[in-house]
Amino acid sequence: MWVQAHGALEDLLVNEHPPTAPRPLKDRLQVFQVLATFYLKYLQIFRSLEAVYDQIVHPQKRHMVRHVLDGVMGRILELKNEMVELEFSEFHYFDDVLQDLKLTPEDLEVPIPQYFVRERMHVLQDREKMLAHVMEVSVQTMCLEEAVRVLQVCERARQGRLRHRFMKEIRQAEEEGSQAKSQTPISTLDPDQAATRIQKVWRGYSQRKRTRRERLEEMVFLGMVGVLQRPSVAQLKAQQVETTRRLVQEENEAEYQRALVSIKESVRAVDGPDLRETLQEQIRQWLIECRDATGKFPDFPNAEDGGSTAIFAQKTPDQLTNTPFLFLCSSHFCS
């Protein structure tokens, strides 16, 4: 995925910055087509790079991919801003471009990078802990008498609601009974007519049930309704692998940060004295050669000019000829 995304990004940069400057486009529709094409291609590259950054475990490679990923996201925002300024609208229609690139409308959705939440997980957890602590502090404790009084009020209210519901049910039952007594007895139907009515009701119910089932199957087939299915064994395995890779990422990143500190300290402790002696010897030799050539010691470079760093800096031929002590220094080191 990284190789494919890198190749696509190189081709896209060549197309965006060709060796020969193309003629300026004056047609507004053509300009939008060009911007929309770049936008969709950058969006595809962004999806690939986000997946690579989420799953790669090598710390140095992750830093490099993150740098490229941030640049791609910035370019997507620039293209979006250019399209908004061109059409004076936040909404755009990419039907023709999607058809040319053989993409679907789902490819237009900008995914939220997973590292946005993962890298801020500690901040979110600290915020939740702080809110929980504030809630605990803000809750006031009650004395025993006040707590008992609140419980009594709630219990009496609950009993009152239950009593009201029971009385309402009894009253409705009495009204229904009185209405049944006042009504005249209904004449019995012919068995054939009763069977016909029962069949009509049942057939209507079964047809409505079949229609709802067929409608749901069609919506699922078109992808307009999602079906809750249990994940398969392969999906569970993939989720487990992704979780394991993220744990390995954290371990490798921590080890990489520790290695940076330890290697720097080891270089400073082991190679530092030798490097310091070598540089001091070179500066001392430079001073002696300048004294032998000019009869006096040269002025040491000021701190504003870089101090001793200016002695070892690479200079152009004009700078070497215009500055005698730098010329001598360069001839000494070149020899």
Side-chain angles (χ1 to χ4, degrees), residues 8-208:
L9 185 60
E10 286 183 344
D11 297 339
L12 191 56
L13 291 176
V14 172
N15 295 332
E16 195 170 1
H17 303 284
T20 59
R23 294 181 179 179
L25 298 177
K26 299 181 180 180
D27 189 1
R28 182 177 177 183
L29 182 59
Q30 292 182 357
V31 175
F32 177 77
Q33 294 287 337
V34 173
L35 294 177
T37 303
F38 286 147
Y39 177 80
L40 291 177
K41 290 184 177 180
Y42 271 113
L43 194 58
Q44 290 179 305
I45 295 173
F46 163 67
R47 290 174 179 270
S48 301
L49 292 179
E50 198 276 330
V52 170
Y53 182 75
D54 182 63
Q55 292 300 309
I56 200 169
V57 298
H58 197 285
Q60 290 94 329
K61 291 181 180 179
R62 292 190 77 244
H63 292 172
M64 179 183 62
V65 174
R66 174 64 180 276
H67 183 70
V68 179
L69 181 59
D70 292 340
V72 171
M73 287 191 294
R75 184 56 184 153
I76 290 176
L77 294 177
E78 291 177 354
L79 291 172
K80 178 66 175 179
N81 185 36
E82 291 180 5
M83 289 189 295
V84 171
E85 292 180 352
L86 180 65
E87 293 196 329
F88 302 101
S89 174
E90 292 284 345
F91 303 97
H92 313 287
Y93 298 95
F94 301 95
D95 299 342
D96 298 339
V97 183
L98 288 176
Q99 187 175 1
D100 294 339
L101 299 178
K102 297 181 180 180
L103 300 177
T104 61
E106 295 180 354
D107 297 325
L108 288 174
E109 298 181 1
V110 181
I112 299 176
Q114 298 185 12
Y115 70 89
F116 277 12
V117 180
R118 287 179 53 202
E119 293 184 355
R120 293 178 54 85
M121 186 61 66
H122 299 290
V123 178
L124 296 176
Q125 291 177 354
D126 295 340
R127 185 181 301 172
E128 291 179 357
K129 292 180 181 179
M130 181 183 67
L131 292 175
H133 178 69
V134 170
M135 294 296 295
E136 291 178 358
V137 173
S138 60
V139 174
Q140 298 179 358
T141 58
M142 296 183 182
C143 60
L144 181 60
E145 292 78 5
E146 187 177 359
V148 170
R149 186 178 61 82
V150 172
L151 292 176
Q152 288 177 350
V153 172
C154 295
E155 180 62 21
R156 290 172 182 173
R158 186 184 68 84
Q159 293 179 1
R161 289 191 296 268
L162 288 176
R163 189 178 302 107
H164 172 71
R165 188 177 63 182
F166 292 152
M167 295 301 296
K168 184 178 181 181
E169 292 177 356
I170 293 172
R171 188 179 302 106
Q172 289 178 354
E174 292 177 353
E175 292 178 355
E176 291 176 358
S178 61
Q179 291 177 0
K181 291 180 181 179
S182 62
Q183 291 178 356
T184 58
I186 301 175
S187 60
T188 58
L189 293 175
D190 183 68
D192 295 337
Q193 294 180 356
T196 302
R197 291 187 179 183
I198 293 174
Q199 290 176 359
K200 182 171 63 175
V201 173
W202 170 252
R203 287 176 180 174
Y205 168 75
S206 61
Q207 184 61 39
R208 287 191 297 271

Side-chain angles (χ1 to χ4, degrees), residues 238-253:
Q239 294 176 1
Q240 183 180 2
V241 170
E242 291 179 359
T243 304
T244 305
R245 283 178 179 172
R246 293 190 181 99
L247 294 176
V248 175
Q249 286 178 1
E250 295 179 358
E251 295 176 358
N252 292 350
E253 183 65 25

